[in-house]
């Protein structure tokens, strides 16, 4: 397995930032709603004042029309005062209309916030479900691999007492390590068997579980490493052949060995035995023509 390159996402920190933003928006919305209530009351008051002033202005206009033939300074002063009040009211109405638009925008943002809150809750539930499912899946896969490794170690020749009746096998891809009942130190040949048992155990788990992302292919060329005795190598080959014969799905296992188990069926061999005079690779004769 290749190491993960991307840095892990700090989910807790991201959640705290989102919660902080949401709380700040909630406070702003409450303040805006209170402000709009006050502005609505002021609008009603101004509209009533406008209505009264409009009526008064019409009355005064009529009076002005009646007095237009004999204008007086008092009437002109009253007209100018009414015009000033009317201008102030017009400006107030414009401000209130702008505030109403702002209130509508805040309402839209509030609805959008509620929608985002719902989506966050839905995504949070889905993430939790996927994390739980992934944890269960990893636990199931590890348990299956561990069981297979233990069976292979128990079938090994009596050369390593730790392999005779192991209870737990722990492996770590990050640390590139395998422990048997918390033991990490074995003889050189036993380390070869343990490593090969892990590879075969992993493959066997994939053969019986279609959810494994495994190519169902295995090639081993370490069965003669570290001075492993021939009988032990033959025993391991026998175990691999039995696992392959019992597999319910198509797969391929290649074992490169210089001392094959004598009882291997002939159809399982690929190529002839290699000698100094006749190598394994069968080169085509050179065409002299």
């Amino acid at each position: 397995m290749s190491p993960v390159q991307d840095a892990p996402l700090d989910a807790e920190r991201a959640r705290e930032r989102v919660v902080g933003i949401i709380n700040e928006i909630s406070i702003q919305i409450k303040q805006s709603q209170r402000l709009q209530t006050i502005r609505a009351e002021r609008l009603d008051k101004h509209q009533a004042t406008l209505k009264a002033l409009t009526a008064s202005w019409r009355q005064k206009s009529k009076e002005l029309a009646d007095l237009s033939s004999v204008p007086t300074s008092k009437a002109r002063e009253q007209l100018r005062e009414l015009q000033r009040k009317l201008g102030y009211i017009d400006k107030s109405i414009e401000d209130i209309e702008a505030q109403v638009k702002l209130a509508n925008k805040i309402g839209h943002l509030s609805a959008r916030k509620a929608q985002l809150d719902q989506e966050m809750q839905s995504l949070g539930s889905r993430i939790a479900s996927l994390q739980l499912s992934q944890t269960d899946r990893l636990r199931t896969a590890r348990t299956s691999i561990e069981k297979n490794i233990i069976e292979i170690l128990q079938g090994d020749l009596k050369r390593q007492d730790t392999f005779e009746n192991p209870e737990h096998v722990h492996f770590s891809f990050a640390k590139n390590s395998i422990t048997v009942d918390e033991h990490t130190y074995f003889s050189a040949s036993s380390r070869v068997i343990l490593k090969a048992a892990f590879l075969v155990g992993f493959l066997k788990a994939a053969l019986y579980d279609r959810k494994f992302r495994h190519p169902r292919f295995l090639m081993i060329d370490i069965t003669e490493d570290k001075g492993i005795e021939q009988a032990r190598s033959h025993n391991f080959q026998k175990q691999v052949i039995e696992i392959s014969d019992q597999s319910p799905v198509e797969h391929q296992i290649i074992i490169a060995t210089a001392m094959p188990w004598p009882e291997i069926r002939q159809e399982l061999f690929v190529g002839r035995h290699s000698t100094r005079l006749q190598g394994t690779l069968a080169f085509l004769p050179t065409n002299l023509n």
Side-chain angles (χ1 to χ4, degrees), residues 149-282:
I149 296 174
I150 289 175
E151 290 177 354
I152 296 172
L153 294 181
Q154 288 176 334
D156 184 32
L157 298 183
K158 305 302 181 182
R159 301 293 186 271
Q160 182 76 44
D161 55 354
T162 312
F163 293 175
E164 293 183 10
N165 191 26
E167 295 183 359
H168 301 287
V169 174
H170 177 75
F171 53 91
S172 171
F173 292 102
K175 297 179 180 179
N176 191 27
S177 65
I178 307 175
T179 61
V180 180
D181 290 339
E182 299 184 357
H183 293 282
T184 57
Y185 296 97
F186 310 97
S187 66
S189 58
S190 293
R191 286 201 301 271
V192 172
I193 291 296
L194 179 58
K195 182 177 180 180
F198 169 76
L199 297 175
V200 176
F202 201 120
L203 173 66
K204 183 179 178 181
L207 296 179
Y208 289 87
D209 189 342
R210 66 176 58 189
K211 293 182 180 180
F212 265 77
R213 294 183 178 179
H214 191 286
R216 277 73 175 178
F217 170 81
L218 176 62
M219 182 168 65
I220 301 177
D221 63 349
I222 60 173
T223 54
E224 278 84 48
D225 286 355
K226 311 303 180 183
I228 188 171
E229 61 181 298
Q230 180 172 297
R232 200 173 187 186
S233 176
H234 287 173
N235 180 72
F236 178 76
Q237 295 173 41
K238 177 177 176 291
Q239 288 182 285
V240 173
I241 292 173
E242 290 175 350
I243 291 173
S244 178
D245 289 341
Q246 297 170 7
S247 171
V249 297
E250 184 178 359
H251 63 284
Q252 184 177 22
I253 302 175
I254 298 176
I255 298 180
T257 177
M259 46 185 183
W261 178 42
E263 299 182 27
I264 294 179
R265 301 188 302 275
Q266 188 62 35
E267 67 269 17
L268 297 182
F269 283 98
V270 178
R272 61 176 180 268
H273 186 76
S274 178
T275 65
R276 292 183 64 184
L277 298 177
Q278 190 177 33
T280 300
L281 298 178

Side-chain angles (χ1 to χ4, degrees), residues 1 4 20 30 47 49 55 84 106-107 128 145 149 155 182 190 194 217 240 278:
M1 294 180 62
V4 177
K30 290 181 181 180
Q47 287 177 339
T49 303
R84 283 195 297 270
I106 292 175
I145 296 172
I149 296 174
E182 299 184 357
S190 293
L194 179 58
F217 170 81
V240 173
Q278 190 177 33

Side-chain angles (χ1 to χ4, degrees), residues 132-148 171 205 209 211-212:
L132 179 61
S133 176
Q134 184 182 45
T135 300
D136 291 340
R137 176 62 192 153
L138 289 174
R139 184 184 300 110
T140 299
R142 283 185 169 273
T143 300
S144 177
I145 296 172
E146 180 185 27
K147 174 178 174 293
N148 295 335
F171 53 91
D209 189 342
K211 293 182 180 180
F212 265 77

Side-chain angles (χ1 to χ4, degrees), residues 3-9:
V4 177
Q5 298 298 326
D6 294 335
L9 175 63

